[in-house]
Amino acid sequence: MKKIISLLIIAVCSLGVKAQVSFFTYYDFLIGLQPTCLASGDFNGDGIKDIAATLVITNELSIFLGDGTGSFTGPTNYTVGYHQAGIVSADFNEDGKLDLATADRDNYRITVLLGDGTGSFSVDSSYILSGNPWSIVSVDLNGDGHKDLVTGYNEASWGPDSLAVLLGNGTGNFSKPVCYTISSQTRSIASADFNNDGKADMATVGLNTSDVCILLGDGAGGFAQMINYPVCKTPYAVTIADFNSDGKMDFAVCKYDTVEVLFGNGLGNFSNPVYLHTGPLTKAILSADFNGDGNMDIATTNTNNYTVSVFTGDGAGHFSTAYSFLVGYTPGDIIHDDFNGDGKMDMATANPYSNNFSVLINSTNPTALPDIKMGQTSVYPDPCTGTIIIELPAGVNDAEINIFSSLGAMVYKQAHAADCNTIDLSKEVKGVYMVNIISKGSLIASKKLVKE
């Protein structure tokens, strides 16, 4: 069953942050009993984004196939473990088809489902943990080119809280979990390179803590250092992006009615918090460029007033006040993707107490993107289909090139760039990218690039 509702948007922008955002309709898709977690991807190879949802009451995974308009058909259900607390999509066996993995909290395991490229999945394997997993991400943690899995969990019988690493071998199989003790039971986990050493790092937030735990990767599948940063009390979720356009990863966390943003210095340290007011009982957070201005924005779900809050960023670390959009009853998890193929980031929320998920379609008018220039920076061809050329301004020495997707993920990094640089983006998906040029720690050029 699908319900379509027009929305009224009410927001007041903060001084200096004028970029607006709008989501004019939403769709409610009935799933089953208490959907908790969502993931998206093109599961059947038709170039259109689909959605996977976990159902904690029936211990099922539901697949909904997109039709390219923002609507979905389905579901097709698969039995997985008990009380799924996380889900992630990636190509684990490197056959060009998306697979899925779930964190099954109540039977202490990770379940891996391999996709066949038609939208169907088979339960391939499961991996036993010594406690309850609460979250899961996929990242190449040891630099071998294969996707690994990282999950946060608490030991059975209230033992120490841990992070488990399962190293992938590219066939869909993973190593026995290797565990690292951390400061709290991980409720949310995200990955980025915080100290610019080319190795994947992790950020976690958990129950009964007021810290974000930063784990700096050693490039071999483990962690060289763990640092705890105090934030607002009992943070619920974390997201990572470059919010002030300096080429260094920042993070934002949400708690009951607040978002706290901390800015990284590229060495694994964070400071200068900024606070944003959300709706009541904020459960999830994400970051993306929703209004097409090349700057990272923030979105949260607010369980107690059934809304999503969006804060538009100005690229300097400042944000608007909240734009609010109605969704289903008690929204929890939130994801973002382009569900109707118009090049704009849409969103979907899991609504466990209305037994459905909501899809918010982005109706924002694209914002003109100003270029920051020193001399003449050229990025061409634009639009591109694969290879691009970046010519740096005259007189720029020891520059660094960073390219980000509209989801905030760094897809390319080159230190000590030459005057003229040829870069292959053929393996990246279609969409809008940001090319940032950094020199002596400062952003000197920022250009939008479209890949077709």
Side-chain angles (χ1 to χ4, degrees):
M1 179 178 177
K2 180 175 69 177
K3 177 174 62 177
I4 306 175
I5 298 179
S6 295
L7 296 179
L8 174 64
I9 306 159
I10 302 175
V12 178
C13 289
S14 299
L15 181 62
V17 185
K18 298 179 180 179
Q20 297 183 355
V21 66
S22 61
F23 292 81
F24 73 92
T25 60
Y26 81 91
Y27 301 80
D28 279 346
F29 295 90
L30 290 177
I31 307 179
L33 296 178
Q34 291 196 18
T36 54
C37 304
L38 301 175
S40 64
D42 180 9
F43 299 136
N44 60 349
D46 63 355
I48 298 168
K49 295 304 176 70
D50 311 308
I51 286 179
T54 60
L55 306 176
V56 298
I57 299 299
T58 56
N59 305 315
E60 291 178 305
L61 177 68
S62 293
I63 303 297
F64 286 79
L65 299 180
D67 65 2
T69 70
S71 186
F72 295 82
T73 59
T76 301
N77 293 330
Y78 300 89
T79 299
V80 288
Y82 301 149
H83 202 150
Q84 310 93 336
I87 184 172
V88 66
S89 172
D91 182 7
F92 299 128
N93 60 352
E94 299 172 11
D95 63 353
K97 303 162 187 175
L98 284 180
D99 311 308
L100 294 164
T102 62
D104 307 329
R105 192 175 74 189
D106 285 356
N107 61 344
Y108 301 178
R109 72 179 61 202
I110 302 298
T111 300
V112 175
L113 301 93
L114 298 182
D116 67 1
T118 69
S120 296
F121 293 84
S122 58
V123 177
D124 180 71
S125 54
S126 62
Y127 299 85
I128 303 299
L129 303 170
S130 55
N132 311 89
W134 280 75
S135 54
I136 189 169
V137 296
S138 178
V139 61
D140 181 9
L141 200 58
N142 60 350
D144 64 355
H146 307 310
K147 292 293 186 181
D148 309 313
L149 293 172
V150 182
T151 182
Y153 72 100
N154 69 293
E155 293 282 356
S157 302
W158 298 102
D161 300 307
S162 302
L163 206 65
V165 174
L166 296 82
L167 298 178
N169 64 5
T171 68
N173 295 311
F174 295 86
S175 67
K176 181 180 178 180
V178 176
C179 300
Y180 300 85
T181 299
I182 56 176
S183 58
S184 67
Q185 180 179 327
T186 299
R187 188 156 45 183
S188 174
I189 184 171
S191 177
D193 180 7
F194 290 124
N195 57 350
N196 289 325
D197 63 354
K199 303 168 185 175
D201 308 315
M202 310 300 300
T204 75
V205 297
L207 296 171
N208 304 316
T209 181
S210 297
D211 296 325
V212 172
C213 180
I214 301 295
L215 297 102
L216 300 180
D218 61 9
F223 302 99
Q225 186 179 5
M226 182 177 71
I227 310 169
N228 290 321
Y229 285 91
V231 293
C232 49
K233 186 177 180 180
T234 61
Y236 210 96
V238 61
T239 186
I240 300 170
D242 180 10
F243 294 117
N244 58 351
S245 305
D246 63 353
K248 302 161 188 174
M249 288 291 104
D250 314 309
F251 68 76
V253 297
C254 62
K255 58 163 286 185
Y256 179 79
D257 60 358
T258 304
V259 167
E260 182 174 348
V261 184
L262 280 90
F263 300 96
N265 66 356
L267 301 174
N269 300 312
F270 301 85
S271 60
N272 303 320
V274 170
Y275 299 93
L276 309 172
H277 180 69
T278 68
L281 196 55
T282 298
K283 281 291 188 71
I285 187 170
L286 57 77
S287 50
D289 179 12
F290 291 115
N291 57 1
D293 65 353
N295 303 319
M296 298 307 297
D297 310 314
I298 291 173
T300 67
T301 56
N302 310 307
T303 298
N304 281 6
N305 67 355
Y306 323 142
T307 63
V308 167
S309 293
V310 178
F311 305 86
T312 60
D314 68 355
H318 308 123
F319 296 87
S320 71
T321 52
Y323 293 81
S324 295
F325 306 93
L326 287 171
V327 288
Y329 186 51
T330 62
D333 194 23
I334 185 170
I335 59 173
H336 56 320
D337 215 324
D338 181 8
F339 295 122
N340 62 346
D342 64 354
K344 304 172 187 176
M345 283 295 111
D346 309 309
M347 291 185 284
T349 66
N351 313 314
Y353 292 103
S354 52
N355 298 322
N356 60 14
F357 70 90
S358 300
V359 176
L360 284 163
I361 301 299
N362 193 333
S363 59
T364 308
N365 291 323
T367 304
L369 179 69
D371 286 339
I372 304 169
K373 299 181 181 179
M374 187 184 80
Q376 181 63 40
T377 300
S378 298
V379 181
Y380 61 91
D382 183 13
C384 72
T385 56
T387 299
I388 63 170
I389 295 174
I390 300 177
E391 295 180 354
L392 299 184
V396 174
N397 297 314
D398 199 24
E400 178 181 303
I401 298 174
N402 296 323
I403 302 179
F404 295 89
S405 74
S406 60
L407 302 180
M410 183 182 290
V411 301
Y412 181 85
K413 178 179 180 179
Q414 179 180 335
H416 311 296
D419 292 340
C420 185
N421 306 270
T422 301
I423 298 170
D424 183 12
L425 298 179
S426 60
K427 293 184 179 180
E428 304 301 330
V429 299
K430 297 178 182 179
V432 178
Y433 292 81
M434 281 300 301
V435 179
N436 289 344
I437 311 299
I438 310 294
S439 179
K440 298 180 180 179
S442 299
L443 180 69
I444 64 169
S446 183
K447 286 181 171 289
K448 180 174 69 174
L449 172 73
V450 176
K451 184 175 185 292
E452 296 182 337

